[in-house]
Amino acid sequence: MINYILSPGSKFSLDFANLITNNLTSNSNLFIVDDDPKCYLANHGFKIFSSDDIKFIIKKECFSVFYFISWCSDFAIKIAYELKVNYKQIELLLLPDNELLYLLIDKFLYLSFLGENVFTEIDYNFTKKIKFIKKPRLGSGSRGISDVILKNDLSNIDNNNFFQQKYIGKEYSLEGFVNGSHFYPWLLSRRLMNQYSCNIIYSLDLDKDKYHSYIEYISKKIKSFLHQFSNSKKFFIHLEFIVEEQDPVPRIIDMSPRVGGFGIGGDYLFQVSGINTKDIVLKTLDNSITKFDYESFSYLKSNIIIFIPYKKGILEDFTLPDIPSDEFMSYSIDQFISIGKEMCIPICDSHRICQINFSFDLKTFNHTKKINVIKNILSLILIRISSENYTALELSNFSYLKKLLFN
């Protein structure tokens, strides 16, 4: 019997869940794994299995093959590694082999491997000269990251956390693909941050020389990194790095064997570069990938993604009026949470109501005009939280958009 494990149960997995379901034979099964029983696919009629559920099933079906499919979730990557270590019948698709996978799920290990300034313990007197942040070793996105300010911030350190030097500068993300020891950088984007959570991502006005120097530097690091492993697998890769004003060397702060979250590695990548990650996943499922030829860069379009963060309370309504789109080549709005969900205080990237994707032609781009149009669109999106009415403009930190004008 052949079984498929698809994780997580997010919106991005829906097309593949439907595809696999429609092609299942009497001798195969699909298991959606997510520790949130109310995840997106659960609301679309799919049965959800927890990480403990799937372990029980694999033990029971000890003579069956299980193909584990994931390309968009740190949670799923950790589950994949744990299953692969303990069960021989697990086959990983679009993920690296065990040795490299183990390294890539532990932030402290891979940042150490890349030569970044990370420590398991530091002297508090040292923090007065150099700023540090504390991170969970197995963390996802910005969850659990905090500044080291007081001496007490050091006393809570344990094997689950580590310290990294804090860099002050412009933050970027890089989407790419690994094929054996080859690294293909696909898309460099600028990230505008609010604390450790990203509000806006955009792919415009990058200085050409800086763009290529960043790509070249990161590519050399990743290729050197890959050559130390006997790995022939194909997988996506997402990196984040900071460039300080006084030091042009990119400092890698995060990396994961997946596409960028919240659609960055999906619709956003496709709109800007023409690279379709969904098509790559489909070809992987039917084993038709033979060659990748993505070594050249082409900005076909330029995009801005704006994320609307949670506000504590229950989401009661999300209204999209008729919105004029003639100023943009395309735009889309993706709602992440459903009506009736109780939202917590936003503390990390995961706490978002929706994302709004704007695509336009750089040749006709006018900063002031386009940002005014974006501002108007945000003001038309109405959101009711615990009987209080807001617009997307009010919930977003629009002041960050102004940086596009002057920075």
Side-chain angles (χ1 to χ4, degrees):
M1 179 175 285
I2 296 177
N3 303 281
Y4 298 94
I5 302 172
L6 180 63
S7 185
S10 64
K11 180 178 180 179
F12 203 53
S13 300
L14 180 59
D15 290 345
F16 305 98
N18 286 327
L19 174 74
I20 295 171
T21 300
N22 293 335
N23 288 279
L24 285 176
T25 66
S26 59
N27 200 35
S28 59
N29 294 297
L30 170 64
F31 301 97
I32 309 292
V33 175
D34 199 306
D35 281 346
D36 179 4
K38 296 181 180 180
C39 64
Y40 187 88
L41 290 190
N43 295 326
H44 284 72
F46 289 92
K47 183 177 180 180
I48 305 302
F49 297 85
S50 70
S51 49
D52 288 333
D53 291 336
I54 198 64
K55 292 171 190 174
F56 177 79
I57 292 169
I58 294 171
K59 286 180 182 178
K60 186 178 177 181
E61 301 288 338
C62 58
F63 296 108
S64 300
V65 176
F66 288 81
Y67 289 98
F68 192 101
I69 309 162
S70 185
W71 63 95
C72 58
S73 164
D74 288 324
F75 158 80
I77 290 167
K78 293 166 195 169
I79 297 299
Y81 174 75
E82 187 177 338
L83 294 178
K84 182 65 177 176
V85 167
N86 291 292
Y87 306 103
K88 292 182 179 179
Q89 65 267 47
I90 296 291
E91 296 290 338
L92 302 181
L93 299 180
L94 285 174
L95 287 172
D97 290 328
N98 266 28
E99 185 182 7
L100 182 55
L101 185 59
Y102 171 71
L103 190 69
L104 288 173
I105 63 177
D106 189 322
K107 294 176 184 288
F108 175 74
L109 289 181
Y110 68 67
L111 288 170
S112 299
F113 224 88
L114 290 167
E116 301 297 337
N117 289 333
V118 291
F119 310 89
T120 52
E121 58 181 54
I122 52 175
D123 185 337
Y124 177 65
N125 293 321
F126 194 41
T127 67
K128 297 175 182 177
K129 301 175 183 177
I130 300 176
K131 299 299 181 183
F132 290 90
I133 56 176
K134 184 165 69 174
K135 286 184 174 183
R137 292 180 67 145
L138 304 180
S140 176
S142 61
R143 189 181 298 275
I145 297 177
S146 60
D147 283 297
V148 175
I149 300 173
L150 305 173
K151 196 168 186 177
N152 287 342
D153 295 330
L154 303 178
S155 62
N156 297 324
I157 194 68
D158 53 42
N159 290 333
N160 297 320
N161 297 285
F162 70 101
F163 300 106
Q164 183 176 16
Q165 183 175 340
K166 182 176 182 177
Y167 300 105
I168 308 297
K170 295 180 180 180
E171 185 163 330
Y172 300 88
S173 62
L174 179 64
E175 307 304 316
F177 195 83
V178 171
N179 185 352
S181 61
H182 299 286
F183 171 61
Y184 300 96
W186 283 345
L187 174 64
L188 181 68
S189 300
R190 176 78 192 283
R191 299 159 59 86
L192 295 183
M193 310 297 291
N194 182 14
Q195 294 296 321
Y196 294 108
S197 186
C198 182
N199 279 13
I200 299 167
I201 295 176
Y202 66 96
S203 62
L204 63 149
D205 291 351
L206 290 170
D207 179 272
K208 188 175 181 180
D209 291 335
K210 287 183 179 179
Y211 170 81
H212 286 293
S213 68
Y214 297 163
I215 290 287
E216 184 178 5
Y217 179 85
I218 296 293
S219 296
K220 284 181 178 178
K221 269 213 161 188
I222 299 305
K223 288 176 182 177
S224 175
F225 177 77
L226 293 170
H227 276 297
Q228 299 180 61
F229 296 88
S230 55
N231 177 58
S232 60
K233 299 290 288 293
K234 300 178 175 72
F235 57 93
F236 299 103
I237 194 164
H238 168 80
L239 299 104
E240 295 167 12
F241 62 92
I242 292 176
V243 180
E244 296 184 296
E245 187 174 344
Q246 71 277 15
D247 184 359
V249 176
R251 304 291 182 180
I252 297 174
I253 57 172
D254 206 358
M255 181 169 67
S256 189
R258 58 168 173 81
V259 298
F262 294 96
I264 296 168
D267 293 339
Y268 174 71
L269 176 65
F270 179 67
Q271 288 172 1
V272 178
S273 68
I275 296 170
N276 190 337
T277 55
K278 288 188 176 183
D279 184 52
I280 292 171
V281 177
L282 290 173
K283 288 182 178 179
T284 300
L285 294 182
D286 67 17
N287 201 30
S288 63
I289 287 183
T290 56
K291 181 183 178 183
F292 285 88
D293 187 19
Y294 295 122
E295 292 182 322
S296 60
F297 304 97
S298 60
Y299 274 80
L300 305 182
K301 301 177 184 176
S302 194
N303 276 62
I304 296 177
I305 290 181
I306 299 172
F307 297 106
I308 308 303
Y310 280 17
K311 185 177 178 66
K312 188 177 181 180
I314 297 174
L315 182 66
E316 296 178 350
D317 195 14
F318 185 95
T319 305
L320 239 97
D322 291 332
I323 297 174
S325 60
D326 55 335
E327 293 289 342
F328 297 92
M329 295 176 69
S330 66
Y331 80 92
S332 62
I333 300 177
D334 293 318
Q335 185 179 344
F336 295 135
I337 62 173
S338 56
I339 303 299
K341 181 177 177 65
E342 184 173 357
M343 300 181 292
C344 58
I345 297 173
I347 58 172
C348 71
D349 284 356
S350 299
H351 296 155
R352 293 166 174 166
I353 296 173
C354 66
Q355 76 175 27
I356 309 171
N357 237 327
F358 300 97
S359 170
F360 41 84
D361 186 348
L362 270 181
K363 294 178 181 178
T364 61
F365 182 77
N366 177 290
H367 282 82
T368 304
K369 183 179 178 182
K370 287 294 188 294
I371 288 178
N372 285 336
V373 173
I374 291 173
K375 184 177 179 180
N376 179 56
I377 289 176
L378 292 176
S379 70
L380 295 174
I381 300 171
L382 306 178
I383 302 167
R384 188 166 71 249
I385 301 171
S386 296
S387 300
E388 295 287 334
N389 294 316
Y390 302 91
T391 66
L393 178 63
E394 290 170 326
L395 291 176
S396 65
N397 190 338
F398 193 76
S399 63
Y400 276 76
L401 266 180
K402 294 177 182 177
K403 291 187 178 182
L404 299 181
L405 290 170
F406 309 110
N407 199 8

